[in-house]
Amino acid sequence: MNGDEQDTRASGSVAHAYRNALFWRWAPAMPKGIPAAFVTLLYALASAADPAGRVRFRDGSVIRIKDIAAACKADEKDVRRYLTAAVAAGVVAVEGEQRRGRPTLYVLMLTPSPDWGAAVDAITNSKRKRPERTPPPWRQAAPGADQKNGGRSPELPEDKNGGPPPELSDLDHEKERGTAPRTSSGDRPPFGSGDRPPNNPGRPMSLPHEVAEVEPQPPVDVAPAPTELPENHEPRTADVARCAVCHERMIPRPGRDRHTHCITAGGAT
């Protein structure tokens, strides 16, 4: 594109009349089968066309499909489909011969009564078909199986995986079962044939505590303490004597009637 804006706003131009017809008459009368992208394409053609209605630049070069697709924000394949539908409806024509590798010159057509049904058929028939998605192998049901909810679930033979699980009713209830070991400070034994020990952390002993009756003791008579002591009262001790010199108490010893220091002080033997 050369960047020059097409002078299509003149009241007497084909492009101006085309936009008015599209806005006021054609778009409201279109059936529901025509997508909005088809209408967007027609508006883009009217904006890019010259006053004569030809979709080309002022220098005569044709506007290519990829430029039209970029203006419509659509895929080039969808733009080709919508152009074919517009030609079928009679609102767009092709000038000259269409050749592969050469851009096609499209011309706006002011048709009094467009054939929108032909446009719907052209769009529907040219719709691209997406390849069918193959379901994953785990959803493919076996022949003869129920097709609802993905078929029936697979069944394993009885001789695999150790056979059916044992039933509790087959056990002999008269056999002696294992007993739980005594409660100790060790850990709980692993799962085995024996029962688990009782787990009573911090449980007080439930034995009865009987309190013995205490019989009353007989009273003891205590003599009253003397209130006064005589003047010459001395505490009575076992074998207490008096020194012959200082008259103080001393421990009696055989052959001695006075203290040692009293003997030393008096010079007596």
Side-chain angles (χ1 to χ4, degrees), residues 31-35 38 81-82 84-85 116-129:
K32 295 182 179 180
I34 293 182
F38 176 80
R81 293 173 52 231
Y82 298 152
T84 303
W116 301 124
V120 173
D121 294 339
I123 293 174
T124 304
N125 296 333
S126 62
K127 188 176 181 179
R128 289 181 290 176
K129 296 182 180 180

Side-chain angles (χ1 to χ4, degrees), residues 61-220:
S61 59
V62 179
I63 299 177
R64 296 173 299 180
I65 294 292
K66 70 175 185 179
D67 297 327
I68 300 175
C72 299
K73 293 296 182 182
D75 187 78
E76 293 186 22
K77 295 182 179 180
D78 292 332
V79 170
R80 293 182 186 275
R81 293 173 52 231
Y82 298 152
L83 285 172
T84 303
V87 172
V91 294
V92 174
V94 177
E95 184 174 307
E97 184 180 359
Q98 286 182 308
R99 292 183 182 180
R100 187 178 184 85
R102 290 183 58 183
T104 303
L105 178 58
Y106 294 96
V107 182
L108 305 180
M109 301 296 295
L110 291 172
T111 306
S113 56
D115 189 358
W116 301 124
V120 173
D121 294 339
I123 293 174
T124 304
N125 296 333
S126 62
K127 188 176 181 179
R128 289 181 290 176
K129 296 182 180 180
R130 297 181 180 179
E132 296 182 0
R133 298 179 61 183
T134 305
W138 58 83
R139 290 196 177 183
Q140 294 179 357
D146 186 10
Q147 299 296 332
K148 193 177 277 189
N149 297 329
R152 61 186 178 183
S153 58
E155 298 180 2
L156 297 177
E158 297 182 358
D159 56 347
K160 287 187 178 181
N161 298 329
E167 298 181 1
L168 297 179
S169 59
D170 297 338
L171 300 178
D172 190 359
H173 296 283
E174 296 182 359
K175 291 184 179 180
E176 184 178 357
R177 299 182 179 178
T179 57
R182 297 179 180 177
T183 306
S184 62
S185 60
D187 298 334
R188 181 180 298 178
F191 295 103
S193 59
D195 299 333
R196 294 189 301 177
N199 186 13
N200 300 326
R203 182 179 179 183
M205 297 180 63
S206 59
L207 298 178
H209 296 274
E210 297 180 358
V211 181
E213 296 182 359
V214 180
E215 297 181 358
Q217 300 294 331
V220 178

